[in-house]
Amino acid sequence: LKADFQMMNLEQTITDDTGVGKCSAESAGKTCFAFRTPPATVQNLKDAGTHLANMANNHAYDFGEAGYKNTQKALESVGIQYTGAPDLITVSDVKGLKVASVGFASYEKWSNLCSDLAKAGELVKKASTQADLVVVQVHMGAEGADKSRVRPGTETFLGENRCDPIAFSHAVVDAGADLVVGHGPHVV
């Protein structure tokens, strides 16, 4: 793929086995997906043209803190920037234009919360002082073919608060976001 600045949602870890995984003995008999890619494959993302990866999503911590940090190190090793960690604003220079990227999801431990509209607004407002263009990546919303249309209100999936996509988008645009890229329902 060719673009001046190409972003992706990295919904997996790039790590060797850490000995920790979200699909543990307690999850036996339940549907559980944990995604892990060997570090040797990170060059494929670079070769595909990726400049920045969003790590604010439900699979970024599938192999615990070590897997999360290993993913960051793997991305850094090939020159791919990342965003999504709490309070992280990633600024990139794109042909002389400063682009700030901020990632959100519904997981407090490793992402900016899409459910905390006041704090999201503050972070986006701060990002707008650091760049010419502010891009918000957000992993939110319920999943499945019957969730392909966004309706007002908070969406849930598997008992998780997956935020209110409409209220969140309005809040960050009002705070200075130029583009909101939402992903999450796993449907076209």
Side-chain angles (χ1 to χ4, degrees):
L1 302 172
K2 302 276 187 213
D4 291 337
F5 190 63
Q6 186 169 292
M7 294 184 279
M8 65 171 298
N9 178 47
L10 184 64
E11 201 161 357
Q12 62 184 319
T13 58
I14 302 173
T15 184
D16 290 318
D17 191 350
T18 63
V20 174
K22 75 174 186 182
C23 297
S24 62
E26 294 96 43
S27 64
K30 298 178 186 173
T31 301
C32 183
F33 298 101
F35 300 125
R36 178 171 59 90
T37 301
T41 64
V42 72
Q43 184 63 44
N44 294 339
L45 296 177
K46 185 70 172 180
D47 293 345
T50 303
H51 297 101
L52 180 132
N54 173 60
M55 292 180 60
N57 59 60
N58 54 314
H59 290 289
Y61 230 74
D62 280 1
F63 289 87
E65 185 176 357
Y68 185 82
K69 288 181 178 179
N70 289 344
T71 302
Q72 291 174 326
K73 288 177 194 170
L75 293 168
E76 289 168 357
S77 76
V78 294
I80 297 176
Q81 293 181 291
Y82 51 83
T83 196
D87 300 317
L88 178 63
I89 299 168
T90 306
V91 179
S92 309
D93 188 314
V94 182
K95 294 188 170 185
L97 184 75
K98 290 202 177 303
V99 178
S101 302
V102 188
F104 293 86
S106 53
Y107 307 96
E108 185 171 20
K109 192 171 188 174
W110 64 88
S111 66
N112 297 298
L113 290 176
C114 54
S115 58
D116 188 340
L117 302 185
K119 189 168 181 187
E122 290 171 15
L123 190 58
V124 168
K125 195 172 288 188
K126 183 178 177 183
S128 70
T129 68
Q130 299 175 16
D132 304 304
L133 184 71
V134 177
V135 178
V136 168
Q137 287 258 357
V138 58
H139 197 71
M140 65 181 167
E143 296 181 22
D146 63 333
K147 304 299 182 203
S148 61
R149 301 287 185 271
V150 175
R151 292 172 180 82
T154 299
E155 294 190 6
T156 59
F157 183 69
L158 297 176
E160 292 178 349
N161 175 342
R162 293 282 184 93
C163 304
D164 180 330
I166 294 172
F168 173 83
S169 299
H170 281 286
V172 295
V173 166
D174 290 347
D178 297 291
L179 175 65
V180 178
V181 180
H183 30 78
H186 301 119
V187 294
V188 177

